Amino acid sequence: MTNKIVVLGSLNVDQTLHVHRLPQPGETIKMTAQSSALGGKGANQAVAARRTGLAQTAFIGRVGADAAGKRLLHSLAAEQIDIQHIQVDPQQGTGQAYVLLQDSGENSIIIYGGSNQALTTADVQAAHSLIQAADFLIAQCEIPLAVIAEAFAYAQQVNTRTILNPAPVVPQLPAEILEHTDLICPNETEAQALTGISINDEATLVQCTQALYQLTQACSVITVGDKGAYLVAKDISPQLIPASAVPVVDTTAAGDTFIGAMVSQLQPDFKNLVAAVRFACQASALTVQSLGAQPSIPTYQAVQASYS
């Protein structure tokens, strides 16, 4: 079965600044290199869903009437992602992300929202038929929260499953979003901000995941970097799915790859959640071994080959 996935989210061009380490306050350091790649959490997740699971993927979003916007539209179309509901905004420029990439592979990211922040509930309403025909609707927090709330409420009316990636983190997510979320997937930093529980070991990870489940009443999957992902869901035993030990080059888009890959494999009743999370961990492990956001997202064939 091929999943039908709609991604509601952000489209950015990433400018990556390669540095040995982050500067201290008041310090000036040299870049070792710079590079540019297509990104945005929404776009990354859509590409991951399409590449890793061959899912029928469509996008709701906005780009600017500029070269960056044209580049993003062309790239998504080349990935065979439906771009009919990506509006070209004549007033706001395309979103930008500035990535400080350290030699360790860890990154820090600064976002300029641009046209992503101009997305409206009317854009969602214009895509109702698209959402109704989908198995899953994925959203992140790089777009206005009111737009997510509108989309999730409608999705549940028409029995489309909703997946929330609460990133960048919003400590107090609106109840209108949480009550219409079927599965929430933060990383450990985001989970800590949502629950107030610091994750220091496996015991506190369990506490945090259970608190997240109580907060949302949704299935919860917390990604914990090179440790893997911990999940809590109805009728499934809480468990940690370990990640493969791999050399890390760049962690950009690892979380987005995880979500896109997981949803590409997930059944609408969530009964295969463990297998879908295991597949997503494998896909993310491939992503961190290459530079850039979308350039590092693997194909389904690459993920399958990595099991051997």
Side-chain angles (χ1 to χ4, degrees):
M1 182 186 75
T2 300
N3 280 344
K4 295 180 180 179
I5 297 172
V6 175
V7 178
L8 169 68
S10 56
L11 301 122
N12 294 331
V13 173
D14 295 348
Q15 306 294 339
T16 300
L17 314 180
H18 301 250
V19 295
H20 291 304
R21 57 170 177 80
L22 296 181
Q24 299 297 316
E27 181 185 19
T28 300
I29 63 172
K30 292 181 179 179
M31 285 190 296
T32 57
Q34 61 178 331
S35 56
S36 176
L38 301 181
K41 286 187 172 298
N44 295 342
Q45 290 168 19
V47 169
R50 179 63 189 158
R51 281 190 199 164
T52 64
L54 306 178
Q56 293 182 32
T57 308
F59 204 96
I60 304 169
R62 286 199 178 205
V63 295
D66 48 29
K70 291 178 182 177
R71 185 180 169 196
L72 279 158
L73 290 173
H74 177 78
S75 177
L76 292 179
E79 296 279 354
Q80 296 184 310
I81 292 169
D82 182 348
I83 61 172
Q84 292 183 65
H85 289 277
I86 299 178
Q87 305 298 322
V88 177
D89 193 302
Q91 297 178 321
Q92 300 290 333
T94 299
Q96 301 281 333
Y98 299 89
V99 183
L100 296 176
L101 176 62
Q102 302 175 70
D103 287 348
S104 65
E106 294 298 316
N107 62 53
S108 300
I109 304 174
I110 304 167
I111 298 289
Y112 162 68
S115 54
N116 295 311
Q117 290 301 313
L119 199 63
T120 69
T121 56
D123 293 322
V124 169
Q125 291 160 5
H128 272 185
S129 60
L130 188 70
I131 295 170
Q132 184 174 11
D135 298 305
F136 297 98
L137 172 66
I138 305 173
Q140 330 75 40
C141 296
E142 288 183 339
I143 60 174
L145 298 182
V147 176
I148 300 173
E150 170 86 14
F152 274 27
Y154 177 74
Q156 288 202 335
Q157 287 179 26
V158 295
N159 297 316
T160 296
R161 292 288 201 159
T162 55
I163 314 291
L164 178 65
N165 173 217
V169 67
V170 179
Q172 292 186 322
L173 281 167
E176 295 83 0
I177 294 176
L178 293 177
E179 68 187 15
H180 294 117
T181 295
D182 291 311
L183 188 154
I184 187 167
C185 187
N187 64 23
E188 55 190 311
T189 301
E190 294 149 4
Q192 290 173 173
L194 290 169
T195 64
I197 297 174
S198 296
I199 298 174
N200 304 310
D201 51 28
E202 188 167 346
T204 50
L205 172 60
V206 172
Q207 292 173 15
C208 185
T209 312
Q210 291 174 338
L212 191 62
Y213 183 77
Q214 292 299 317
L215 177 68
T216 63
Q217 296 299 305
C219 296
S220 303
V221 178
I222 299 179
T223 56
V224 284
D226 58 5
K227 299 180 186 68
Y230 193 87
L231 63 91
V232 172
K234 186 178 180 181
D235 300 328
I236 297 176
S237 299
Q239 57 192 284
L240 177 68
I241 307 298
S244 300
V246 296
V248 176
V249 175
D250 182 4
T251 59
T252 305
D256 297 331
T257 297
F258 180 94
I259 290 168
M262 175 182 66
V263 181
S264 77
Q265 303 300 304
L266 194 58
Q267 295 171 1
D269 60 10
F270 291 175
K271 287 186 177 179
N272 72 330
L273 181 60
V274 172
V277 169
R278 188 171 288 117
F279 179 88
C281 285
Q282 203 70 15
S284 292
L286 293 176
T287 296
V288 301
Q289 296 179 66
S290 301
L291 282 172
Q294 290 176 27
S296 68
I297 297 172
T299 63
Y300 177 80
Q301 291 80 4
V303 178
Q304 289 295 329
S306 71
Y307 282 104
S308 57

